[in-house]
Amino acid sequence: MKRFALIVSVFSLLACFSVAPLWAAENVKIGAAFALSGSIAVYGEGFKKCVDLAVEEINAKGGINGKKIEIVYEDNKSNPKDCVSAVRKLITVDKVPVLFGPAGSSNFMAAAPVAQESKVVMLSAQGTAEKLTQAGPFIFRIIPSNSKQGQRLAKLAFELGYRQLPVMYINNDWGLDLKDGFVTSFKKMGGVVTDIIPFDEKKTDYRTELLRANKDNPKAIVNLTYINEGAVQFKQAFEMGVKTQWLCGSAARAPKMVELAGKAAEGVMGTYPSVIQDTKEYKTFKAAYQKKYGDDKIPIFGDYNYDMVYLTTRAIEKGGYTAEGIRAALPAAAKGYKGVTGDKTFDENRGMEHADIGIWIVKGGKIEDHKK
Amino acid sequence: MIEIKNITKSFGGTRAVSDCSLSLAGLKIAGLIGPNGSGKTTLFNLITGLIRPDSGEITLEGRRIEGRMPHHMANMGLIRTFQLSRVFPRLTVMDNMLLAPRGQAGERLWSLFLRFPRVHREETEHREKACELLEMLGIIHLRDQFAGNLSYGQQKLLELGRAVMAQPKMILLDEPTAGINPRLIQTMIDMILKMKARGQIFFIIEHNMDVVVELCERIFVLDHGEKIAEGSPREIQTDPRVIEAYLG
Amino acid sequence: MDLVLHLAIVVAIYSIFALSLNIEVGYTGLFNFGHVAFFAIGAYVSALLSLQDATFSLALIAGIACAGVGGLLIGLPALKLQGDYFGIATLGFAEIVRMLLQNQVAWTKGPMGLPGIPRPEIFSWHFDTLPAYLLLTLGAAVLTFLVIGFLTLSPFGRVLKAIRDDETAAAVLGKNPFAYKMEAFVIGSAFAGLAGVLWAHFITFISPGDFTLTETILVLLIVVLGGKGTLWGPVVGAAVLIFFQESVRFLRLPPEWSGILGPLQQMIFGLLLVILMIFRPEGLIREKGKETIDRD
Amino acid sequence: MKGMEGRDIVAGYGKIEVLHGASVRAGQGEIVCIIGPNGSGKSTLLKSLFGLIMPREGAVLFAGRDITRLAPEEKVRLGIAFIPQGRNVFTSLTVRENLEMGGTPLDHEREVRRAIDEVLEAYPLLKDKLRYPAGNLSGGEKQLLALARADMVKPQVILMDEPSIGLAPRMIEEVYEQIKAINAKRSVTFLIVEQNARKALSIAHRGYVLDLGVTRIEDSGAELLNNEEVKKLYLGG
Amino acid sequence: MDSLPYYLQTVVNGILAGCIYALFAMGLTLIYGVLNFVNFAHGELIMWGAYFLYLAMAEPFALPLYAAVPLALGMTALLGAAMDFALFKPLRKANRLTLLIAAIGLSFFLRNAAQLFWGAQVRTYGFEIRQGYRWLGVSLTPQQLAIIAISLICICGVYLLFFKSRMGKSMRALADNLDLARISGIHTGKVILSAWIISSLLAGVGGILMALDTNLNPEMGVVNLIKAFAATLIGGVGNLWGALIGGLIIGLAENIAVLFISPGYKDAVAFVIMVIILLARPYVVTDKRTD
C-alpha cells in the first residue's frame, strides 16, 4: 500500500504542475503542433528555429497591433495519434484560432479534420501531398504540391537527356506521392521507367536496393529520399562505385545531407519548390538566421515556416484575431505577397498558385541552384 | 480395463520404460511401486498421453489409445493427478473443482451463449456435487480460497477431488500421500475407499507401503523400467526380487 | 471541453483494445506482441468499405470479422509455439500485416493512407459530433467489458485461466489447450478489430504508420500497468496512461524548453515504467490470489 | 570434531514442511549413509546441510563451527562438496570443462591443471572422454564425473544424493568403489543419501534411517542391513 | 554490370548486414542465455556506444580514434553494468513480462536521454568517404572490411572467451545449470556482471561499426534490434554460433530477396524465414517432472 501511495503522490505532483498559472495571457497566441520528439523530430527542430526567428523579428517591431506573438508549441511525437491530440489541445485548451500543422502529409491529414470541424485555421509549410487541403476551407498549404514537383523532375530528366531510368523512393506518403507524380509525367513524355524500388525509412543499409537500381548501369537514377536516408545511400553508392546522375526531390535538399554524405553527394541534382535565393528577402532572412544561430545552414523548409509566420501575421492584422477572420483574410493577405520563398498567392484549393520549381545541385560541398 | 503391452520409452539413450506389459482388467484399485527412477511416472505419462511411447500398445476397453493427445486421453476417461500437486493456483478451490467435469456446455463458446439456461443448470449441479466432495475431503471451508493458498496436503486432496469430479473411467494417482501429514493421509485413504465403493477405478503409484497394502488388490513392481513382479500385496512383500530391488 | 471529450473517446477505444489484449495476455497467458495487427485490420477493412459507400453497420461487422479471421489464420501457426517464440512470431506477423498495408498500394493507398473516412451512421443516427461519438464508443466499450467479463467469469473463462496457470494440468483434465488458446486469440483479435473500426471512424484518416510496434507496446503497457488478468485493469490502465501522457502537455514550461520537453517526457515515462516494474509489477489493480504464485 | 553435523533440522519447500527435526553426524573419515523410504526427506536433509535450502530451525556444524547461514559458494570454499541427484553435470560443457568448473575455488589456472591431472589419475575412465560434452556420457560416467568434479578441490566432506539412481549395476559398483577409494586415500567424510540401501550400507561405517522427516534409527551399516524394522519401513511389511 | 558480380555483390551485402545482426544478436543471446530474458534495451546500448565515441572525439576532448574507441567501449560497459545494478538485479526473480516491460521502459529512457543531449539530428564521425576496393567486380570499403573482420574477431574473441577462459566457462556453466553452478562454488554475481559487460562491449563495438559505416542517430539501435532478436531465435537461444548463423541467414535472405521482389517487403522476408524456422523445429509437449 505504501508503494501505491508513492505512485499516487507522483501523479498528484504532476497534476499540481498542470494547474500552474498560464504565461502572459495578453499575447496573440498561435499554435504549432510540431514534431519535437519521435522519428521526424530532426525536421521539427529546424522548423522551430525558423518560426522562432520570425516571431522574434515581428515582436521586435512591435508585434501585431502592439501585442506580442506567442507560439504555443505542442509536441506531436511524429505520429498521427498524437498529432490529433496535440491539435485538439491547441484548439480547446489554448483556444488558438490559427495553428501551424504537423509535418508529414499523413500526420497533417490526420489532424486536418479536427481543425476543420472546430473551424480553426491550419497551415502547412511542408506537406506536399496533393490532397492535403481537401479536408475543408480552413486548411491551407503554403508550399507547392508534389505533382508540380514531379512534373518538373520528369522535365529535368528529359532536359538532361535521360529517357530510361529506374526510380527509387522512400516508402512513405511523401515518397509515394512524388513518385506517382514523376512516373505519370515521365511516361507521358515518353520516358521509360525501368524499375521501381521502394525503400524503408531509417534503415542503415541500402546497398542491395542501390545495386538493383544500378543493375543496367543507368545514366541516371531518380531517388526520392530524405536527408539521412539520402546521405547513407549516396555514401554507399559511392563506395560501391555506382556512377550515375542522381535526381532527387526536395526532401534531400539539405546542408545536413551534404555534410553527412560528403563528397558522395557531389553532383547530386534535384527539384524543389523554388526559393530564389538572390532575392533581397532571402538574403535578409539568411543573414538574420546566421546572426541568431551562428550558421547559414537553413534547415529544410525552414524558409517556408518563416514565411508562414509572416503570412499569418498579415492575415491577423487584416482579418482580426479570429479563426473566421484569418481564414477570410488569408487569401487576400497572401495575394501577391513576396515572402522569402516567393509569391505566396493561394489557388482555389488553398494551395500555391505559383509553383516555381527550382533545380538544386550539390557543387563543391554546397547546395546551389542549377543554372542551365 | 486398461491393457499395456510391450511398451517402451527411451530418453536420450536410457530406457525409462522397457518392454513393459501390465493388465489392469477387472481391478478396482491397482498399485504401482518401485524405487525412485524406476519409470513409474513415465508409465503414467505414457498412459495419459503426456509423452508418446517408442513402441508398444495401450488399449482402453479394447481400443488402441497410445500416442494420443493428453486431452483425448482425459476425455476418454483417464484422469490423473501429479506427484507434486498441480492445482490451478489462481483459481479458487471451487473453480478448480468446477473445471473438472467433462463436456461442460459452458466451456464451449456457442453453447455458452446460445444455451445459457443449460449452462446455468449444469453449473448449479456441479456446484452441489463439488460441495459434497469438498465436504468429504474436509476442505469445504476453503472453497472460496485461491488454490495456491492451500497447504500442500490440502492441494493434494483438492487434486483428488478434482479427479473424482471428472467422473472418469479410471483415476491415476501419482503418489497421493507423498509429502502430506499422516492425518490427511487417512482422509485420502478414506476418500479413495469411498470412491471405490461407488465403483470408481484407481491406478496408484505409491511409496507408503501401508497405504499400498491397505488399498490395492494387485501390485505391479517396476525396477529400471522393467516390470519385475506383480501380485497381491502379500505376494509382493515376500517376493525376494522386490526386496532386492528395494533394498539394493 | 472538446479535448476532454476527445481524450475520453481515446480512452474508451484503448480500453476496448486493452481489454481484448487482456483476454490473451492476462487470462490465457499468451504474450501477443502483434496485437496491433488486428487493430489495423479492423480499421482498414472498415475504412475501405466505408469509402466504397458501405453502411457503417456492414463496415463494422466486416472489420470485426476480418480481424477475427486474421486471428485464426495467424493463430494456426503461431499458437504451435510457446512463450517467447509465440511473442516474436506474432510480432513478425504484425510487421508483415503492416508491410502489406504499406505496399499493396492498389488496395490500401499504401503510405498515403485513407483520408475522409466518414463518421458512422447507424439507423439514421449520426455520430458526427464528439459527444455523440463518445456515446458510441462508450457503448462499445461497455459492451466489450460486459462480453469479456461474462466470458472470463463463465466456465469458458475458467478453462482459459486454468490453461494460463498450468497448461499440462488443464490438458490432462480433458481441455484442449490449443483449441482454447485459439478461441481466446480469435476473440481478442475480433475485439481489437472493433477498437480499430472505432479508431478509423473517429480519426477519419488512417495510414500504415499508425499501426507499428509502438502501438502494441503501448497497449501492452496499458494492460500491465492496469493489472493483467483483472477486469478493470485495462480500463484503469488506459485512463491513467493516456491522461498521464496528455497531462504533460499541461506542464506550463517556458517555450524555450519545448525542444527538450519531448524527450524529457519520454524519459520520465520510461523511468516511471521501470519504477513501477520494480515496486509494483502486478499493476495498479492486483489480481487476487497472486501473491502466492511462485511458478510462472 | 572435524566432521559435519546437522542438528534438529526443520526444513521444507514453501508451505510443505518435509523435515521435522532431523539430526545426522559424520565424523572425519566416516562414510555415513542416510536411507529411508521415498518422500522421507533424505534429499531435503542433504540440501539443508549444504545451504541450498535454508533450514527453518536447527544448526549445521562443520569442524565445530556453525555454518548454517553460509551460502553454498562459501561452503564449497570451506571444503564441503555437494553432488546433487539427477542433473549433476553441466551437459553442454565438455568433461574437461566440467572438471575446471569443479576447480573454481582454486586461485590459479596452474592449480586447476594440476588438479585435473590428479583427478584423471584417480578416474581413468574419464581420460578418453575429456573433449566430449558431458551430456553425451552414460549415466554412470556422469556420476563419476560429478564425483571427480567435486574431488577437484579435495574437499573434506562430500555430500551425495542418490549416487546409484538409474545406474546399471556395474556402474553402481564402479561409483561405490570410487567412493571407497577417495575415503580410504584422503579420509574424506561422506554423507550419502541412498535409495539403494543394501549397496550403500555395505560400504558405510554408520547409517541413519530417515522416516517422515525425522531420523528414526542410527546404527552401523551392517546392523542396519539386518534390522527387521528397516525392512518394515521399506516394505511396510 | 554483368550478372555474376551483381549477385556476388548482393551476397557480400548480405554478409555485411548479417555480420551486424550477428554482433547485436550475440550480445542479446548472451544475456538471454545467462539470465533468460530479452534485453529490449540492448539497442540503446548499441546507440550509446556509438555516441560515446562521438563524445570522445568531439570537442572538448577531441581524442584521436585509437584513444577514443577504448574509452567509448569502457563507458558502454559501464552503462551495461549500471543497467544491471540499477534495474535487473532487483528484478532477478521477477517474471518475464515484468522484465520485458522494465527493459522497454529503460529503452525509452536511454533513447530519449540521448536525444536530450545530442538532439534528434543525424550526426557523423566525419571520416572521409572512400571508394571501395574492387575484386571480381565486388566492391568493399575499408569500413566494410573492418565490419566483417571485427565481427569475426569479436565472434572468435567471444568464442575463445567462452570456451577457453575460466570466466567464460563459468558463464556457460551458469547458463547450463544455475543450481549446479552455485554448488560448484561459482560466484554467480560476478559471472552475471561479466556477462553484462561482454554484452555491452559487443553492443558498443556493433554500434561504433554501424556508425562508422553510416551515421549516428538516437534510433540507430532499435531499428536493427528486432532482426537481431529474430537471428537469436533462429540460431537458438544462448547459442553463439547460432547467433552468427541466424544473423547471416537473415542478412543474406533479405538482401537476395530485394533483387527479386519489391524491396518494400525486405523486412517481411526476415520475419517469414524466422516463423518458418521456428515452426519447422519439432515441438513436443514435454513434461519436465518425469522422475
Side-chain angles (χ1 to χ4, degrees):
Chain A
M1 213 50 225
K2 225 174 173 178
R3 286 166 187 167
F4 191 66
L6 181 82
I7 295 161
V8 168
S9 55
V10 170
F11 276 102
S12 41
L13 195 72
L14 286 169
C16 289
F17 265 116
S18 61
V19 292
L22 300 179
W23 293 80
E26 280 300 291
N27 295 342
V28 173
K29 285 198 289 187
I30 299 174
F34 281 4
L36 303 174
S37 67
S39 58
I40 54 171
V42 57
Y43 292 94
E45 284 174 15
F47 303 158
K48 185 172 169 294
K49 276 185 177 176
C50 294
V51 168
D52 286 345
L53 175 64
V55 169
E56 200 172 276
E57 286 173 7
I58 295 168
N59 284 344
K61 286 182 214 143
I64 300 175
N65 303 329
K67 285 185 180 170
K68 291 214 183 313
I69 300 177
E70 182 201 338
I71 306 287
V72 185
Y73 287 103
E74 207 48 62
D75 184 11
N76 70 34
K77 298 181 191 165
S78 311
N79 71 66
K81 184 174 66 180
D82 286 295
C83 281
V84 176
S85 14
V87 166
R88 189 79 83 182
K89 187 250 167 186
L90 286 170
I91 293 171
T92 56
V93 178
D94 300 301
K95 305 224 178 330
V96 296
V98 53
L99 60 95
F100 304 150
S105 299
S106 50
N107 291 341
F108 189 90
M109 282 163 86
V114 176
Q116 175 61 34
E117 277 172 17
S118 318
K119 304 220 168 350
V120 167
V121 178
M122 183 155 113
L123 296 100
S124 168
Q126 55 280 130
T128 48
E130 189 64 36
K131 292 177 185 159
L132 198 76
T133 56
Q134 74 173 20
F138 280 85
I139 314 300
F140 292 83
R141 183 228 328 267
I142 67 152
I143 190 166
S145 73
N146 272 333
S147 63
K148 287 178 178 143
Q149 208 193 136
Q151 282 168 18
R152 184 67 189 90
L153 190 59
K155 214 171 120 212
L156 173 68
F158 256 76
E159 284 165 7
L160 296 170
Y162 306 127
R163 297 292 180 274
Q164 288 196 345
L165 39 70
V167 178
M168 296 174 70
Y169 69 95
I170 190 159
N171 200 356
N172 65 15
D173 44 5
W174 177 84
L176 181 68
D177 201 40
L178 187 53
K179 185 236 13 171
D180 286 345
F182 169 79
V183 170
T184 316
S185 306
F186 193 62
K187 281 185 177 159
K188 218 180 268 166
M189 291 176 190
V192 177
V193 175
T194 55
D195 199 358
I196 292 182
I197 301 164
F199 57 83
D200 286 330
E201 281 177 74
K202 292 196 287 190
K203 287 291 151 75
T204 49
D205 175 11
Y206 294 104
R207 294 190 182 89
T208 305
E209 284 91 335
L210 293 164
L211 190 69
R212 173 163 158 181
N214 195 43
K215 188 175 182 206
D216 305 311
N217 288 318
K219 291 198 195 88
I221 299 174
V222 170
N223 185 10
L224 309 172
T225 186
Y226 275 12
I227 300 174
N228 192 15
E229 287 79 359
V232 172
Q233 287 160 346
F234 298 139
K235 196 168 145 186
Q236 292 179 341
F238 182 86
E239 288 166 352
M240 288 200 299
V242 173
K243 289 192 178 62
T244 190
Q245 175 61 54
W246 294 104
L247 300 175
C248 300
S250 50
R253 181 184 165 273
K256 188 88 206 172
M257 188 278 284
V258 181
E259 180 199 326
L260 293 172
K263 64 184 176 191
E266 202 59 25
V268 171
M269 293 175 80
T271 50
Y272 72 106
S274 173
V275 176
I276 316 293
Q277 304 203 357
D278 292 340
T279 61
K280 183 174 97 256
E281 288 86 356
Y282 198 88
K283 282 179 180 151
T284 327
F285 164 64
K286 197 165 180 173
Y289 185 91
Q290 183 151 21
K291 192 166 161 233
K292 185 165 161 75
Y293 296 111
D295 64 54
D296 63 348
K297 290 173 184 165
I298 309 287
I300 182 166
F301 297 138
D303 33 21
Y304 283 94
N305 278 279
Y306 182 83
D307 272 357
M308 182 160 65
V309 181
Y310 272 97
L311 207 56
T312 310
T313 312
R314 278 171 69 94
I316 295 172
E317 279 169 350
K318 254 197 169 78
Y321 185 57
T322 63
E324 184 52 41
I326 296 167
R327 186 197 68 79
L330 254 175
K335 195 163 175 68
Y337 171 71
K338 288 262 186 278
V340 167
T341 57
D343 190 327
K344 304 314 302 171
T345 310
F346 286 107
D347 64 11
E348 69 278 12
N349 291 324
R350 299 167 307 285
M352 286 285 95
E353 172 89 42
H354 300 281
D356 217 0
I357 307 289
I359 310 292
W360 56 274
I361 184 166
V362 181
K363 257 190 195 158
K366 282 216 161 65
I367 295 177
E368 292 179 2
D369 276 324
H370 176 62
K371 303 196 178 57
K372 288 162 207 162
Chain B
M1 185 169 58
I2 277 208
E3 300 274 346
I4 295 161
K5 277 189 204 140
N6 309 104
I7 206 141
T8 296
K9 176 72 192 179
S10 307
F11 294 111
T14 46
R15 282 192 165 188
V17 172
S18 168
D19 201 23
C20 213
S21 298
L22 321 171
S23 170
L24 276 68
L27 297 174
K28 290 267 181 240
I29 302 184
L32 184 62
I33 64 168
N36 273 353
S38 58
K40 304 179 298 292
T41 298
T42 308
L43 191 64
F44 264 31
N45 287 343
L46 288 165
I47 297 172
T48 51
L50 287 177
I51 50 180
R52 285 155 200 249
D54 299 334
S55 63
E57 290 176 15
I58 301 171
T59 53
L60 174 70
E61 295 173 334
R63 277 163 72 203
R64 290 273 295 269
I65 58 163
E66 78 271 1
R68 297 207 191 183
M69 299 289 282
H71 62 270
H72 286 142
M73 298 292 201
N75 283 324
M76 281 184 298
L78 298 172
I79 297 287
R80 68 173 290 177
T81 66
F82 291 90
Q83 204 171 326
L84 291 163
S85 80
R86 288 174 90 163
V87 297
F88 301 104
R90 284 182 277 178
L91 294 185
T92 61
V93 168
M94 183 52 93
D95 276 348
N96 265 279
M97 294 293 282
L98 292 177
L99 189 73
R102 292 176 286 149
Q104 295 183 48
E107 291 181 357
R108 287 187 307 273
L109 273 182
W110 291 120
S111 51
L112 173 63
F113 283 100
L114 299 178
R115 307 174 68 183
F116 190 71
R118 181 176 151 193
V119 173
H120 189 72
R121 199 178 61 239
E122 275 186 9
E123 279 289 286
T124 322
E125 283 167 14
H126 292 153
R127 207 170 280 273
E128 279 167 18
K129 184 151 177 259
C131 282
E132 185 200 336
L133 283 170
L134 290 174
E135 190 89 58
M136 282 165 70
L137 291 165
I139 50 175
I140 184 76
H141 57 292
L142 298 169
R143 68 175 162 188
D144 295 322
Q145 284 279 328
F146 282 93
N149 294 344
L150 265 55
S151 80
Y152 185 67
Q154 290 166 335
Q155 290 188 2
K156 293 210 92 156
L157 286 176
L158 172 60
E159 214 183 1
L160 173 68
R162 200 174 66 185
V164 172
M165 267 303 276
Q167 294 189 302
K169 295 195 175 110
M170 177 190 269
I171 296 177
L172 297 99
L173 298 176
D174 194 346
E175 300 198 26
T177 68
I180 67 178
N181 78 44
R183 202 165 39 78
L184 287 181
I185 291 182
Q186 202 47 52
T187 316
M188 186 75 80
I189 291 172
D190 292 348
M191 182 77 183
I192 293 170
L193 287 173
K194 261 183 218 158
M195 287 303 132
K196 180 190 172 192
R198 289 189 188 180
Q200 181 66 58
I201 292 172
F202 288 93
F203 188 17
I204 303 177
I205 294 178
E206 184 54 67
H207 282 294
N208 187 329
M209 284 307 285
D210 293 335
V211 176
V212 178
V213 170
E214 189 169 349
L215 288 176
C216 301
E217 302 159 50
R218 195 169 182 82
I219 297 170
F220 302 89
V221 187
L222 287 188
D223 189 31
H224 289 102
E226 288 173 37
K227 185 182 79 178
I228 56 166
E230 74 171 273
S232 68
R234 193 123 307 275
E235 287 164 5
I236 291 300
Q237 276 172 304
T238 51
D239 189 320
R241 276 175 306 175
V242 178
I243 295 173
E244 173 71 25
Y246 256 108
L247 292 176
Chain C
M1 190 57 204
D2 279 3
L3 182 67
V4 175
L5 286 176
H6 173 89
L7 292 180
I9 293 171
V10 175
V11 168
I13 294 176
Y14 270 80
S15 298
I16 300 176
F17 195 17
L19 280 165
S20 71
L21 182 62
N22 193 30
I23 198 169
E24 298 173 18
V25 172
Y27 287 99
T28 322
L30 296 169
F31 292 143
N32 182 353
F33 260 68
H35 202 49
V36 73
F38 309 106
F39 188 72
I41 292 174
Y44 259 91
V45 167
S46 169
L48 284 168
L49 284 175
S50 296
L51 291 172
Q52 299 295 316
D53 292 327
T55 63
F56 177 70
S57 322
L58 178 70
L60 174 75
I61 291 165
I64 295 171
C66 287
V69 172
L72 186 74
L73 294 179
I74 290 175
L76 276 175
L79 284 170
K80 295 215 162 70
L81 303 168
Q82 297 270 305
D84 293 352
Y85 294 94
F86 174 76
I88 188 82
T90 46
L91 188 155
F93 278 121
E95 284 293 289
I96 292 170
V97 166
R98 191 177 61 78
M99 274 174 241
L100 284 170
L101 296 179
Q102 176 120 0
N103 289 291
Q104 293 303 320
V105 177
W107 311 340
T108 64
K109 301 272 191 304
M112 294 312 297
L114 300 171
I117 301 165
R119 284 282 160 81
E121 182 191 330
I122 304 173
F123 307 128
S124 77
W125 291 328
H126 295 266
F127 295 95
D128 49 3
T129 62
L130 283 178
Y133 206 87
L134 179 61
L135 228 59
L136 179 72
T137 44
L138 273 184
V142 168
L143 189 74
T144 308
F145 185 86
L146 290 178
V147 170
I148 287 183
F150 175 67
L151 278 178
T152 50
L153 294 173
S154 74
F156 176 80
R158 198 161 59 209
V159 180
L160 295 188
K161 283 193 256 183
I163 288 170
R164 171 195 69 184
D165 280 2
D166 191 335
E167 196 174 319
T168 309
V172 300
L173 281 174
K175 321 297 174 195
N176 181 352
F178 182 78
Y180 279 101
K181 285 198 276 186
M182 180 59 94
E183 280 166 346
F185 195 61
V186 169
I187 292 169
S189 304
F191 277 105
L194 168 65
V197 171
L198 292 171
W199 179 256
H201 291 265
F202 172 53
I203 295 296
T204 73
F205 171 87
I206 52 170
S207 65
D210 309 355
F211 308 109
T212 57
L213 179 61
T214 323
E215 286 301 298
T216 301
I217 290 178
L218 180 71
V219 70
L220 196 67
L221 291 183
I222 289 176
V223 171
V224 175
L225 176 82
K228 60 181 194 300
T230 62
L231 208 43
W232 281 102
V235 181
V236 171
V240 169
L241 201 70
I242 285 165
F243 277 101
F244 168 68
Q245 284 202 329
E246 293 300 324
S247 72
V248 184
R249 293 196 191 287
F250 293 88
L251 298 181
R252 287 283 151 186
L253 299 172
E256 306 85 65
W257 284 27
S258 56
I260 58 164
L261 196 60
L264 202 62
Q265 181 191 345
Q266 299 284 313
M267 276 174 75
I268 294 170
F269 180 60
L271 205 59
L272 280 180
L273 271 182
V274 168
I275 292 170
L276 190 75
M277 285 304 106
I278 292 179
F279 293 107
R280 201 180 167 88
E282 65 275 25
L284 296 178
I285 294 181
R286 196 198 292 262
E287 187 188 0
K288 283 176 221 142
K290 256 195 87 171
E291 57 274 23
T292 55
I293 312 313
D294 46 10
R295 58 165 101 107
D296 206 320
Chain D
M1 188 195 96
K2 271 280 246 181
M4 188 148 179
E5 187 178 352
R7 270 187 206 154
D8 301 321
I9 295 195
V10 176
Y13 311 87
K15 290 185 183 342
I16 319 163
E17 188 177 295
V18 181
L19 293 178
H20 317 290
S23 301
V24 287
R25 183 178 54 81
Q28 193 185 4
E30 233 184 347
I31 299 179
V32 171
C33 177
I34 303 162
I35 60 171
N38 278 351
S40 58
K42 303 186 297 286
S43 294
T44 312
L45 176 57
L46 221 51
K47 285 182 192 160
S48 314
L49 289 178
F50 194 64
L52 286 174
I53 302 170
M54 273 301 156
R56 292 171 194 173
E57 286 168 40
V60 180
L61 298 145
F62 172 69
R65 181 182 156 198
D66 187 342
I67 56 162
T68 319
R69 299 280 141 198
L70 287 189
E73 298 83 305
E74 294 167 300
K75 290 197 173 116
V76 171
R77 283 176 172 74
L78 284 180
I80 304 167
F82 178 71
I83 301 173
Q85 174 193 335
R87 294 194 62 204
N88 56 14
V89 297
F90 298 107
T91 47
S92 64
L93 272 59
T94 65
V95 169
R96 188 184 190 95
E97 286 164 347
N98 265 279
L99 293 177
E100 289 172 16
M101 286 303 106
T104 305
L106 300 176
D107 290 328
H108 293 291
E109 201 79 34
R110 227 177 322 115
E111 292 174 52
V112 176
R113 270 199 300 268
R114 196 184 317 131
I116 289 178
D117 290 340
E118 284 174 27
V119 162
L120 286 178
E121 285 300 308
Y123 302 79
L125 263 180
L126 297 175
K127 243 181 199 164
D128 308 332
K129 314 255 174 176
L130 272 182
R131 300 175 48 172
Y132 295 102
N136 292 0
L137 298 183
S138 76
E141 288 166 335
K142 279 184 192 154
Q143 196 64 51
L144 280 182
L145 174 59
L147 195 55
R149 194 191 55 231
D151 210 14
M152 280 287 291
V153 285
K154 305 208 167 40
Q156 288 168 278
V157 178
I158 297 179
L159 311 174
M160 280 186 102
D161 195 355
E162 304 251 6
S164 75
I165 193 167
L167 299 192
R170 197 177 53 79
M171 285 318 295
I172 297 179
E173 205 61 41
E174 183 82 30
V175 170
Y176 273 98
E177 281 311 309
Q178 204 57 254
I179 293 171
K180 258 160 74 182
I182 298 171
N183 173 258
K185 206 161 118 199
R186 293 208 323 273
S187 78
V188 175
T189 309
F190 274 90
L191 252 167
I192 302 172
V193 154
E194 187 54 287
Q195 175 85 181
N196 192 334
R198 182 160 298 166
K199 184 70 231 171
L201 290 176
S202 71
I203 67 156
H205 301 117
R206 278 187 314 113
Y208 290 87
V209 178
L210 199 66
D211 186 36
L212 295 173
V214 289
T215 30
R216 278 263 193 101
I217 310 167
E218 178 191 347
D219 211 335
S220 74
E223 288 297 317
L224 279 176
L225 262 182
N226 298 319
N227 189 323
E228 277 307 310
E229 203 185 342
V230 173
K231 272 186 196 158
K232 185 170 176 297
L233 270 173
Y234 268 104
L235 293 172
Chain E
M1 206 181 273
D2 52 312
S3 75
L4 182 66
Y6 180 64
Y7 292 111
L8 267 181
Q9 180 79 54
T10 307
V11 170
V12 170
N13 293 349
I15 291 174
L16 261 172
C19 282
I20 292 276
Y21 295 151
L23 262 184
F24 295 175
M26 275 199 300
L28 268 181
T29 207
L30 194 66
I31 295 300
Y32 200 152
V34 174
L35 294 174
N36 201 22
F37 82 98
V38 184
N39 179 16
F40 235 81
H42 192 69
E44 276 56 44
L45 278 175
I46 290 166
M47 179 264 296
W48 274 87
Y51 272 97
F52 279 138
L53 181 63
Y54 182 85
L55 185 72
M57 293 206 307
E59 297 296 333
F61 308 106
L63 294 174
L65 189 65
Y66 61 84
V69 168
L71 188 72
L73 289 179
M75 304 264 283
T76 318
L78 211 62
L79 180 65
M83 266 163 62
D84 182 47
F85 181 77
L87 177 53
F88 296 112
K89 207 168 177 188
L91 289 176
R92 204 72 90 205
K93 293 235 161 73
N95 72 36
R96 282 177 169 208
L97 196 61
T98 307
L99 279 168
L100 187 80
I101 303 273
I104 290 173
L106 185 64
S107 147
F108 262 75
F109 179 79
L110 289 176
R111 194 182 330 148
N112 286 286
Q115 200 180 325
L116 198 66
F117 289 132
W118 285 291
Q121 56 176 310
V122 177
R123 283 163 197 272
T124 163
Y125 294 137
F127 291 109
E128 205 181 332
I129 299 167
R130 261 183 283 168
Q131 208 162 326
Y133 306 119
R134 284 205 156 265
W135 184 72
L136 277 182
V138 173
S139 107
L140 262 183
T141 63
Q143 278 104 322
Q144 291 163 6
L145 275 176
I147 287 177
I148 296 179
I150 293 177
S151 304
L152 289 178
I153 290 170
C154 280
I155 290 163
C156 292
V158 174
Y159 173 80
L160 286 178
L161 180 96
F162 246 53
F163 288 88
K164 300 294 166 201
S165 85
R166 283 176 85 180
M167 179 51 82
K169 287 172 193 170
S170 309
M171 229 174 271
R172 281 166 55 220
L174 198 77
D176 185 304
N177 189 334
L178 181 70
D179 283 337
L180 195 57
R182 289 184 69 199
I183 288 167
S184 306
I186 293 170
H187 200 302
T188 48
K190 247 192 228 164
V191 174
I192 290 171
L193 183 68
S194 29
W196 274 104
I197 288 175
I198 296 166
S199 172
S200 315
L201 285 176
L202 285 170
V205 170
I208 288 170
L209 284 177
M210 201 165 85
L212 279 174
D213 188 36
T214 58
N215 301 311
L216 297 101
N217 71 70
E219 305 204 18
M220 61 185 283
V222 276
V223 284
N224 289 311
L225 191 71
I226 291 176
K227 282 197 214 146
F229 185 43
T232 308
L233 290 188
I234 288 176
V237 168
N239 181 342
L240 280 180
W241 294 114
L244 175 66
I245 290 164
L248 286 178
I249 287 177
I250 291 182
L252 282 169
E254 65 179 16
N255 276 287
I256 291 170
V258 162
L259 299 184
F260 301 105
I261 61 169
S262 168
Y265 287 110
K266 189 177 180 182
D267 285 357
V269 174
F271 291 120
V272 169
I273 287 182
M274 180 192 74
V275 171
I276 290 173
I277 289 181
L278 288 185
L279 287 173
R281 289 188 168 177
Y283 164 68
V284 215
V285 187
T286 46
D287 189 351
K288 279 183 191 159
R289 286 170 221 240
T290 50
D291 59 7

